[in-house]
Amino acid sequence: MISVFAAALAVAFGAIGPALGEGRALAAAMEAIARQPEAAGTISRTLFVGLAMIETMAIYCLVIALLLLYANPFTG
Amino acid sequence: MESPFGAQVLFRVGPVPISPAVATTWGIMALLTLVSWLALRRATPDGGPVQTALEIVVETIEDQIRAILQRDPGRYLPLLGTLFLFLVTANLVPALPGLRAPTSRIETPVALGLIVFLSIHWFGLRETGVAGYLGHFLRPNPLLLPLTLLSEITRILSLMVRLFGNMMSHELILAILVYLAGFVLPVPFMVLGLLIGVIQAYIFTILATVYIGAAVGAVDS
Amino acid sequence: MTIDWWTLGLQAVNFAILVWLLRRFLYAPVRRVIAARKREVEAAQEAAAAACATAEEEARRLREARAALEAERQGVLDQAAAEAAETAKAALAEARAAAAVQVEKAQAAIAAERQAALEAAQGDLAALATGLAGRILQDTAATIAPGLFLDGLADTLARQPEAERARLAADMAAPGAVATVVTASPLPPEDRAAWSARLLPLLGGQGSLGFEVDPDLLGGAELRVAHSQLKFGWADRLAAAKRAMVGNERA
């Protein structure tokens, strides 16, 4: 039961940072595209890669949550 | 609600248990191959609409690869193009009733991640040679070697878990919505799921391309 | 948590097979088609470039032809202009010459007219003068004895060249030859003897001397021997004077 709370906490707080970061990255990319529409392709590709990098943090949290839920080493 | 982990067995071929994911993958393979074969069986410079559509798809993938790798995409196209096409198809499979995306089970993303992992080093070795490729790990600073090696593993790990997590969690959410709200409310979420599936396929392919590009020296990742 | 290793391995193998299948059935044909299309496009481009070059060549040829035509036209125009200028010049010269001739003719006519007028005036003047003189002489001749002219006639005869004198003498030597003396008024008989005595020796001393009267002489005397005339009359003098006046003026 505790592991469920822990998993929820991990995902919840782990999502905050990447969410903020992705928001900033997306805003910057929007601005860049607005400034230079002809570079939209390169910018959006770089944006996706960057978002993936940022997302990695949230994914680690997800992994931990999943481990806690389905493969908790302490509860067997 | 069943666990996304654990073995499911649809049927057995001899001692080998065949899971639904494998069966779906075979279907996807058959579909892709059949479509390609039918459309391009008699390919001419001025072909029909299906052929043209396939050409556009292939050329778009080629252009993306070329833009990232900055070299002829011919050697990388089969792996990366197949990766994208397979993932798009696999992620769109849930639109058909009764089928589940193979990528929402952990095994398929892991298998793809392993293949990408091996491909990165294979292309890196082939392109820059043994010494050059091993030196590439020491490049910023030899002291960072453990971190570099760790990032080699974690980025593949995050690659596979990102795909798996997105697909699985969406499936989970759909299941919860169906459980809570019945049969109409999940429809927009299913549409969103299709969008997420395409985006994840794109991100997976692009990241694999970027990693390969870093290995062959085209991109500094 | 269990991982289905069979599924994992099968999926990896499946993906590898799919890569091979798509490479065989998708990428290779697409690449072939694209290459073929590129070749076609290149061929079309080459053909277009060739056609373009041909058209270019044609255009150049046409431009040259046009330039030639232009040059020809210019040449014809120049020639025509030159001809026109030549003609105009010739016409001008002709007109000028004609005008000059006209002017000259007019000048000549004027000069001739003036000359004629002058001559007429002179002639009139001379006629008037001689007429006047003739009338005066006629009035006075009657009062003058013809014998006075004997000396003049004799002098004239004596001044004749030797050949003339010889010819006269030969004429007189002919049998029956008569030297006729013409006077304005009849000579008295005594004078006739003196004239014969004086003139005959000068004429060779043979033949005889005849006498005639001609009032037109006005005065003076003439000696007619055969075909020769020795004039010493006033009328002759007046005529000579008139001729001299007119001729003098003319000279």
Side-chain angles (χ1 to χ4, degrees), chain B residues 25-26 45 55 62 82 108, chain C residues 4 7 11 14 27 31 33 37:
Chain B
T25 304
W26 283 345
E55 278 178 28
E62 270 190 342
T82 310
T108 309
Chain C
D4 186 352
T7 304
Q11 288 296 68
N14 281 347
Y27 306 126
R31 297 206 130 204
V33 165
R37 186 172 300 137

Side-chain angles (χ1 to χ4, degrees), chain C residues 20-212:
Chain C
W20 181 82
L21 281 175
L22 287 190
R23 180 186 205 145
R24 169 90 173 68
F25 289 111
L26 180 60
Y27 306 126
V30 166
R31 297 206 130 204
R32 264 205 309 277
V33 165
I34 288 173
R37 186 172 300 137
K38 196 182 280 179
R39 274 199 304 277
E40 257 179 31
V41 167
E42 271 164 14
Q45 262 172 351
E46 267 170 30
C52 197
T54 313
E56 233 13 91
E57 180 69 20
E58 184 76 4
R60 201 181 55 74
R61 208 175 53 69
L62 283 177
R63 263 201 303 279
E64 272 172 13
R66 203 173 57 181
L69 278 178
E70 185 71 21
E72 196 174 329
R73 194 175 72 100
Q74 194 61 41
V76 168
L77 277 181
D78 286 350
Q79 196 176 343
E83 271 174 18
E86 195 78 14
T87 311
K89 206 186 285 178
L92 196 63
E94 202 173 320
R96 227 175 244 160
V101 166
Q102 204 79 17
V103 167
E104 207 168 317
K105 212 181 279 176
Q107 274 173 351
I110 288 171
E113 203 170 321
R114 202 170 57 187
Q115 189 66 36
L118 203 58
E119 277 173 16
Q122 280 171 351
D124 286 351
L125 201 60
L128 192 65
T130 48
L132 210 58
R135 250 193 324 277
I136 295 171
L137 287 177
Q138 207 166 14
D139 289 346
T140 54
T143 61
I144 297 171
L148 292 176
F149 301 116
L150 176 63
D151 292 338
L153 194 61
D155 282 351
T156 305
L157 196 61
R159 276 200 304 273
Q160 293 297 315
E162 201 61 38
E164 183 70 17
R165 291 250 308 268
R167 200 173 54 78
L168 289 173
D171 286 342
M172 290 303 291
V178 175
T180 311
V181 171
V182 184
T183 53
S185 55
L187 283 171
E190 64 267 20
D191 281 356
R192 288 185 185 180
W195 283 57
S196 300
R198 180 84 180 268
L199 293 174
L200 279 176
L202 288 171
L203 294 169
Q206 289 176 317
S208 59
L209 205 59
F211 294 92
E212 284 181 14

